[in-house]
Amino acid sequence: MTVSLEQLQRCHVAVDLGAARTRVYVKGLGLVVDEPSVAAVNTRTGSLIAVGALAEQMTGRTPEYIRVARPVSGGTVVDIEMAQRMLRHLLGDKLRRQLRRKPRLRAAACTPHEADPLAQRATVETLVGLGARRVELVDTLIAAAVGCGLPVEQPTATMIMVCGAATTQIAVLSLGSIVTAVRIPVGGNAIDEAIIQHLRQHHELLLPSQSVRPLQLALHGNGLQLTGPALTDIHGRDVATGLARTVQVDTAAVRKAIHTPLTAVLDGVGKVLRDCPPDLVADLADRGIMMVGGSALLPGLDQMLRDATGMPVHIAERPDVCSVLGLGAMLDGKIQPMVLNPLAG
């Protein structure tokens, strides 16, 4: 870990700033915020109009003077001031007053694997601007592994795959540390984009970003496998005329379009296994891969991994909140490290 458990137990609040959702865990209160990482701003006055779910509903539906901003991209804060304003409103006045009473407010935050120093500094500055005197950074992979109940501290291999909106992170953990890991710039957003491009090229249909989810649910028959509903009605805008149009989409062709970005994820799994010591790979043959993150719920992704690797694949009980719950478990002192004392002599 990048920080000791003893230091984490002194923290009062844990924050997971994701590209899709922001989650906040407060010691003693549990998970208090779980909202989309979106803010709507009036560009004429600079005032904040909405944050979270309400701001997300405004995406693509606003007049010119209202801008819908996403201050977090790929797990990295790209607009510190906007991220601070968004967090203040998501926490609310009552909770912020409670946190301000802490004499030395400490915060913990998740950072993507191998995040560069600038990205780490942006996360720290965001939380310092909210009143934190000290910010501890924890690798998302370790926090997620703890949150879904994997025996991270044991000398056995555990493989975790964090499927985010902008990135997919894959790692093998042993003795509380990362043995080998890889971060791939492909996530749920890339899969949505593949569906939108497919419909534009083959059906000349412009699809609103918020209409992608119903199409993914239509694939839910057996997910990315070749069974399930053959045709699905999709509503969108005709590229040529600009008028509303409904087309029947062949779901098998959409599955094929989704497979293209997912090949990069399968390559990443192969790279992690190749870089892993043989003894740990033998452990993984029994334990398999644990999938967490919002995109882990993509229908059939787990079966696709099983077919490609021949290993068992499991989806965590609450895959979308594993990272912040793992941080919360460390804050509450529920995780006990395996003590490795140097031998005398």
Side-chain angles (χ1 to χ4, degrees):
M1 292 183 187
T2 52
V3 59
S4 73
L5 282 170
E6 191 180 339
Q7 288 172 308
L8 283 172
Q9 284 169 19
R10 295 187 196 134
C11 294
H12 306 99
V13 60
V15 180
D16 179 15
L17 279 167
R21 296 183 79 86
T22 294
R23 299 176 177 94
V24 181
Y25 183 103
V26 176
K27 201 171 187 174
L29 295 177
L31 189 64
V32 293
V33 173
D34 184 3
E35 292 277 344
S37 304
V38 189
V41 188
N42 186 327
T43 54
R44 292 174 183 169
T45 62
S47 58
L48 207 60
I49 296 170
V51 293
L54 182 57
E56 189 175 50
Q57 288 171 10
M58 294 181 182
T59 305
R61 302 169 186 268
T62 58
E64 286 181 6
Y65 64 92
I66 294 177
R67 179 172 69 94
V68 177
R70 292 183 177 272
V72 186
S73 174
T76 302
V77 178
V78 291
D79 186 339
I80 294 173
E81 184 191 351
M82 187 60 67
Q84 288 174 350
R85 292 175 73 184
M86 180 184 75
L87 271 171
R88 279 193 202 102
H89 282 79
L90 288 175
L91 285 169
D93 293 336
K94 184 181 176 185
L95 192 55
R96 284 200 350 257
R97 277 198 299 272
Q98 281 182 346
L99 292 174
R100 274 204 294 266
R101 292 195 194 110
K102 309 283 184 190
R104 286 186 63 81
L105 180 64
R106 288 175 176 240
C110 292
T111 55
H113 179 64
E114 290 185 341
D116 59 76
L118 280 175
Q120 293 181 1
R121 185 175 173 184
T123 303
V124 170
E125 284 189 17
T126 300
L127 296 180
V128 166
L130 289 173
R133 297 294 183 88
R134 186 182 173 99
V135 180
E136 310 289 2
L137 299 178
V138 179
D139 197 303
T140 303
L141 289 162
I142 292 175
V146 170
C148 62
L150 291 177
V152 181
E153 297 294 336
Q154 299 303 314
T156 54
T158 50
M159 188 170 186
I160 189 160
M161 182 171 167
V162 180
C163 310
T167 58
T168 300
Q169 303 171 67
I170 307 158
V172 173
L173 310 175
S174 180
L175 286 173
S177 297
I178 294 169
V179 178
T180 176
V182 67
R183 184 164 60 140
I184 305 150
V186 173
N189 293 347
I191 292 163
D192 292 353
E193 188 61 32
I195 294 174
I196 291 169
Q197 288 302 321
H198 170 81
L199 290 172
R200 182 167 188 161
Q201 289 169 11
H202 295 87
H203 298 277
E204 296 183 344
L205 195 75
L206 281 176
L207 192 68
S209 57
Q210 292 178 3
S211 300
V212 176
R213 297 296 172 210
L215 183 54
Q216 287 190 359
L217 291 174
L219 300 174
H220 210 14
N222 272 324
L224 303 179
Q225 305 309 303
L226 298 177
T227 54
L231 296 170
T232 307
D233 287 339
I234 296 296
H235 312 288
R237 193 180 82 190
D238 191 285
V239 172
T241 65
L243 300 175
R245 186 159 67 93
T246 301
V247 297
Q248 281 200 322
V249 178
D250 180 9
T251 50
V254 177
R255 287 189 190 96
K256 195 173 180 182
I258 291 175
H259 270 284
T260 306
L262 290 179
T263 50
V265 175
L266 296 178
D267 291 344
V269 172
K271 184 181 185 304
V272 168
L273 291 172
R274 284 194 300 274
D275 294 345
C276 190
D279 289 352
L280 293 181
V281 175
D283 287 350
L284 294 174
D286 299 328
R287 307 181 83 98
I289 305 170
M290 178 65 80
M291 291 174 64
V292 302
S295 300
L297 297 170
L298 180 71
L301 179 56
D302 53 340
Q303 187 59 46
M304 187 179 169
L305 277 172
R306 282 189 200 101
D307 295 342
T309 61
M311 293 162 56
V313 178
H314 315 282
I315 299 176
E317 192 175 333
R318 297 179 66 191
D320 48 342
V321 292
C322 279
S323 297
V324 74
L325 291 182
L327 273 183
M330 296 181 202
L331 262 62
D332 292 337
K334 293 176 183 174
I335 309 299
Q336 295 301 320
M338 185 174 173
V339 181
L340 298 174
N341 289 324
L343 297 174

